[in-house]
Amino acid sequence: MKLLLDFFPLLGFFITYYVFDDIYYATAVLIVAAIIQTIGHWLLKKTVEKMHLVNLGFALVFGTLTIVLEDDSFIKWKVTIFMWLVTAAFLLRQWLQNKVTLRDFLEGVSGDSFGVNEVIWKKLNLIWAVTAFAIGLLNLWVAYNFSQSVWVNFKVWGIIAIQMILMFATFAVLFKHMPEEKKQAFEGDSESSPDDQLNREESTSQNTAETPLGDVDTSNNSSTQTTSEEEKS
């Protein structure tokens, strides 16, 4: 559900463009979808994600300029400016505050530390920053050297593909430098299916619940028998 909500504005933009073949209709849908995304997440989780707010702000500003001025340059530049701001955030937090944005994000999502050396994290953080800057440049090159439909496909599928490749490469590097106990825990979690984990939890809870009751019943029966024998004697 959350994954669908995260990609909802982008999918709405893509589908609308190919149904109506109109960048301005697609941009209007992008704005509305970003609003629905933000409100929907709040209704489901009672919180608002910062990234959703950022996306909403960019959609409102650049989308409105695109529609009002009837100039698709604004919606095209939106991608580049966003990526360059991501680059600035990654670099400035690392250089000025000695904080690694990539680590904060990934460990925040996983809810646990990867146990990887600070040097490795900083190198990966720089790679992500450089990649974001390169995507911004590549976006402009595609936008002004190819047709509008090619740019829409690049915006939706090309950028996602680049980010997925980068994500897989990042996890490969992190796994390589994890301590052995972290690797074993990670492999154990990946090998066991959700059904297996649920069955183990149910079995454990049943055993825990049944054992005390069994003990009570046994002790009660024993005490009853002892009392009866005493009364007879």
Side-chain angles (χ1 to χ4, degrees):
M1 184 65 179
K2 185 181 184 302
L3 185 64
L4 177 63
L5 198 61
D6 287 341
F7 285 96
F8 179 63
L10 195 61
L11 291 175
F13 175 85
F14 178 77
I15 293 171
T16 304
Y17 179 82
Y18 276 94
V19 170
F20 296 98
D21 192 23
D22 191 303
I23 193 68
Y24 304 111
Y25 283 173
T27 302
V29 169
L30 178 69
I31 296 173
V32 174
I35 295 173
I36 294 174
Q37 178 191 57
T38 305
I39 296 175
H41 190 274
W42 183 83
L43 291 175
L44 290 173
K45 303 292 185 179
K46 300 302 179 184
T47 59
V48 177
E49 285 197 2
K50 292 181 180 180
M51 188 55 66
H52 290 171
L53 287 177
V54 171
N55 287 333
L56 176 59
F58 270 77
L60 286 172
V61 174
F62 290 92
T64 302
L65 289 172
T66 298
I67 296 171
V68 172
L69 301 178
E70 296 185 355
D71 186 352
D72 64 354
S73 295
F74 292 102
I75 200 65
K76 290 176 177 177
W77 269 92
K78 168 184 171 289
V79 178
T80 295
I81 293 176
F82 176 80
M83 286 297 172
W84 287 353
L85 285 177
V86 169
T87 299
F90 273 60
L91 295 179
L92 291 177
R93 287 190 82 231
Q94 181 171 328
W95 291 342
L96 300 181
Q97 300 178 336
N98 198 31
K99 294 182 179 180
V100 182
T101 303
L102 179 63
R103 179 180 58 193
D104 294 344
F105 172 72
L106 293 181
E107 291 186 346
V109 171
S110 67
D112 191 15
S113 172
F114 287 89
V116 176
N117 188 280
E118 180 86 4
V119 175
I120 302 299
W121 275 115
K122 287 185 175 181
K123 288 181 179 179
L124 288 172
N125 196 70
L126 289 175
I127 291 173
W128 275 68
V130 171
T131 302
F133 185 80
I135 290 174
L137 289 177
L138 185 59
N139 174 71
L140 292 180
W141 181 71
V142 173
Y144 291 101
N145 288 279
F146 296 91
S147 66
Q148 190 179 82
S149 61
V150 170
W151 173 77
V152 170
N153 277 287
F154 170 77
K155 167 184 167 58
V156 177
W157 306 117
I159 294 177
I160 289 179
I162 294 171
Q163 292 174 331
M164 290 298 293
I165 292 171
L166 181 60
M167 183 66 75
F168 283 126
T170 298
F171 277 112
V173 173
L174 290 174
F175 186 78
K176 179 181 178 181
H177 292 88
M178 279 183 187
E180 286 302 321
E181 60 272 15
K182 291 288 184 180
K183 289 182 181 180
Q184 292 173 3
F186 180 80
E187 290 174 344
D189 291 340
S190 61
E191 288 175 359
S192 60
S193 65
D195 291 338
D196 292 337
Q197 294 176 1
L198 182 59
N199 290 334
R200 286 199 302 268
E201 290 175 358
E202 289 178 350
S203 176
T204 303
S205 62
Q206 288 174 358
N207 292 335
T208 304
E210 290 172 358
T211 302
L213 290 175
D215 292 339
V216 170
D217 291 341
T218 302
S219 61
N220 287 340
N221 291 336
S222 299
S223 61
T224 303
Q225 292 174 358
T226 303
T227 305
S228 300
E229 291 175 358
E230 290 176 352
E231 290 177 350
K232 289 179 181 180
S233 60

